[in-house]
Amino acid sequence: MDQDHPFRPESLMMSYGYKPSLSEGAIKSPIFLTSTFVFKSAEEGKAFFEVAYGLRERGQQEELGLIYSRINNPDLEILENRLTLWDKAEDCAVFESGMSAITTVLLEFLAPGDLLVHSTPVYGGTDHFIQHFLNKIGVHTMGFTAGEERDALMERIKASGLGHKLRMIYVETPANPTNALIDIAACRTVADAFATADQPVHVAVDNTYLGPLWQHPLDHGADFSLYSATKYIGGHSDLIAAAVCGSKAVIGRVKALRTFLGNMASPHTGWMLMRSLETLKVRMEKQAANAAHVVAFLADHPKVEKVYHLSRIPEGTAEHETFRRQCASPGAMVSFDVKGGEPAAFRFMNALKLVKLAVSLGGTESLAEHPATMTHAGVDPQHREAMSITGKMVRLSVGVEHHEDIIWDLRQALERV
Ligand SMILES: *Cc1c(COP(=O)(O)O)cnc(C)c1O
């Protein structure tokens, strides 16, 4: 980065962290399809391993030398450096899937007997890992919902008798698919209330829904900003990957466990993500602009009962205050209730022509899905109802098509309801 002028992240996505002179002058980083790297000397190999395995502190100017592609690879290192820019993070680690990033963070910072407090609903895969795997290995877990007051949550943690074992607060905000918001700074204060000098309580945020453009959890006191890079960062529905951003200290631990679980992204995926990052901002801005048109159309439609989008949070509420402080845009994820319940929602989805019927989100093409029977089918029905995830709800991920074409499609499909 230039000393005199701090370039913005979108201006650096084409070049940051890559030295053409190391690759025959190629303007783009090659895909380093190699499992291992040749050391210049035995002494160099020894020095690289000492740093990689933490046998000694890294010198001031010393970089971690390239050793073996499970430990590091140029495509992943350049990608990680670029990803740190959006969250102004010290470090980043990329993974082969969102789930591998989430599970690696949970496994590294939790041990049997510890307490994990987490928001609900969380992504189905995350929910399954918490309820089935973490509980099986003796990690205590406690869920809370968006809107639960900070003091009430503190009281519940104290009443559980496990406050001294609290090690992490894990949140997903905005919640999928309802867009309910959780105040990250408030979670930080809860974590700090239970932390001691030698036992920190970490705050982790799954930032897939709004990041990395529109929400920066580290600015609000979180220790981790986690992404399924399958979504906006990849953005073309053609890969599965993830990223975790945070301080050097915590990401160092995450990378160490990643080395031993072996769930790093491949060089090919790393290269694809670098290509995607070049257009991240233009894609996301277009998607948010399209979503604003879609919301305006749906809000006025006689067959639509309710629209769930961050632009719809009533002013003057605590949630609106959180939105104002925490989010830079209402984003491009829109849910809505169709009058007539599940049969009406299904008729609508089956009639779509341009918008594709598929789960996932954040890609260039608009997608529709039915949370109650698809992404959230595994959630306990009572809990699902309480969160307004019912048969009449449809979730849209708005893409980069012409907004009038998207709306034409939604209109003709609603006419079939
Ligand atoms: C998709 C998603 C995940 C899981 O990511 P994968 O890349 O599919 O493993 C986690 N959290 C959220 C919010 C997601 O949307």
Side-chain angles (χ1 to χ4, degrees):
M1 205 167 307
D2 198 276
Q3 296 292 311
D4 313 322
H5 178 78
F7 291 118
R8 293 160 182 86
E10 64 269 33
S11 305
L12 292 168
M13 286 302 112
M14 285 59 78
S15 59
Y16 186 73
Y18 170 65
K19 293 193 192 92
S21 60
L22 294 178
S23 298
E24 309 277 5
I27 190 162
K28 291 291 141 177
S29 172
I31 309 180
F32 287 88
L33 288 179
T34 187
S35 56
T36 194
F37 297 85
V38 179
F39 303 134
K40 290 196 185 84
S41 65
E43 287 78 9
E44 185 185 76
K46 177 182 175 185
F48 287 0
F49 268 95
E50 284 171 348
V51 173
Y53 282 2
L55 304 178
R56 64 172 170 82
E57 286 288 307
R58 193 191 305 194
Q60 279 281 308
Q61 299 299 319
E62 192 176 10
E63 301 216 340
L64 175 58
L66 293 162
I67 297 174
Y68 183 71
S69 283
R70 179 156 44 73
I71 301 173
N72 52 10
N73 175 285
D75 291 294
L76 299 196
E77 289 193 342
I78 299 164
L79 169 65
E80 287 169 345
N81 290 340
R82 288 184 190 173
L83 282 164
T84 60
L85 299 177
W86 299 97
D87 275 310
K88 297 193 196 74
E90 285 176 13
D91 204 357
C92 172
V94 292
F95 285 84
E96 64 183 351
S97 70
M99 283 314 303
S100 59
I102 292 164
T103 54
T104 301
V105 167
L106 292 171
L107 287 171
E108 174 59 25
F109 292 91
L110 294 168
D114 287 350
L115 173 65
L116 168 73
V117 166
H118 64 91
S119 65
T120 57
V122 287
Y123 181 74
T126 310
D127 187 68
H128 187 94
F129 186 78
I130 291 172
Q131 303 310 332
H132 296 271
F133 187 80
L134 289 183
N135 284 336
K136 186 182 78 180
I137 64 166
V139 173
H140 304 284
T141 61
M142 179 191 289
F144 71 99
T145 49
E148 180 167 355
E149 296 297 332
R150 177 175 56 194
D151 295 346
L153 178 59
M154 301 257 285
E155 279 312 312
R156 271 207 302 134
I157 296 170
K158 277 186 204 145
S160 74
L162 290 165
H164 64 295
K165 298 298 263 175
L166 179 64
R167 291 291 172 271
M168 184 180 283
I169 301 180
Y170 179 98
V171 302
E172 214 176 289
T173 181
N176 170 12
T178 56
N179 274 322
L181 282 181
I182 288 163
D183 183 341
I184 297 167
C187 292
R188 175 79 266 163
T189 64
V190 175
D192 288 346
F194 291 94
T196 60
D198 47 23
Q199 287 289 6
V201 178
H202 291 105
V203 175
V205 177
D206 182 330
N207 199 30
T208 303
Y209 239 57
L210 281 186
L213 234 66
W214 301 321
Q215 183 169 267
H216 299 108
L218 305 183
D219 289 347
H220 303 279
D223 299 290
F224 300 98
S225 177
L226 291 126
Y227 299 95
S228 166
T230 311
K231 314 296 166 54
Y232 287 105
I233 294 175
H236 295 72
S237 307
D238 55 5
L239 59 82
I240 301 277
V244 188
C245 292
S247 68
K248 274 217 178 318
V250 293
I251 300 300
R253 285 180 59 181
V254 170
K255 282 183 173 170
L257 184 57
R258 182 184 68 175
T259 292
F260 300 111
L261 293 176
N263 52 6
M264 67 294 157
S266 74
H268 185 260
T269 299
W271 186 92
M272 297 270 283
L273 286 170
M274 280 196 271
R275 184 168 175 148
S276 288
L277 279 180
E278 299 189 7
T279 55
L280 178 74
K281 191 164 186 215
V282 288
R283 283 187 281 112
M284 289 184 77
E285 284 182 342
K286 174 73 175 168
Q287 288 173 269
N290 280 350
H293 288 291
V294 166
V295 168
F297 165 74
L298 291 173
D300 276 347
H301 199 284
K303 289 186 183 166
V304 173
E305 200 173 292
K306 182 171 179 188
V307 181
Y308 304 78
H309 185 241
L310 295 182
S311 64
R312 310 278 297 167
I313 302 172
E315 281 188 37
T317 59
E319 198 182 12
H320 193 268
E321 174 54 23
T322 303
F323 171 70
R324 208 188 47 72
R325 249 188 308 113
Q326 196 167 287
C327 315
S329 161
M333 293 300 297
V334 182
S335 295
F336 64 99
D337 291 337
V338 188
K339 286 181 189 161
E342 181 177 308
F346 275 27
R347 272 199 298 279
F348 166 78
M349 288 187 294
N350 289 336
L352 289 166
K353 292 181 175 162
L354 179 69
V355 178
K356 299 291 176 282
L357 179 49
V359 298
S360 198
L361 61 102
T364 43
E365 67 281 278
S366 295
L367 299 178
E369 69 107 7
H370 190 248
T373 60
M374 296 172 191
T375 46
H376 294 70
V379 178
D380 162 56
Q382 251 184 330
H383 191 36
R384 206 162 56 209
E385 295 275 327
M387 295 183 301
S388 331
I389 306 168
T390 61
K392 61 191 171 182
M393 181 184 270
V394 173
R395 187 189 77 177
L396 297 176
S397 170
V398 181
V400 301
E401 304 91 340
H402 197 293
H403 67 89
E404 287 171 8
D405 291 337
I406 302 170
I407 288 169
W408 175 89
D409 197 25
L410 301 179
R411 180 183 290 117
Q412 67 82 22
L414 279 166
E415 273 161 20
R416 308 280 284 280
V417 171

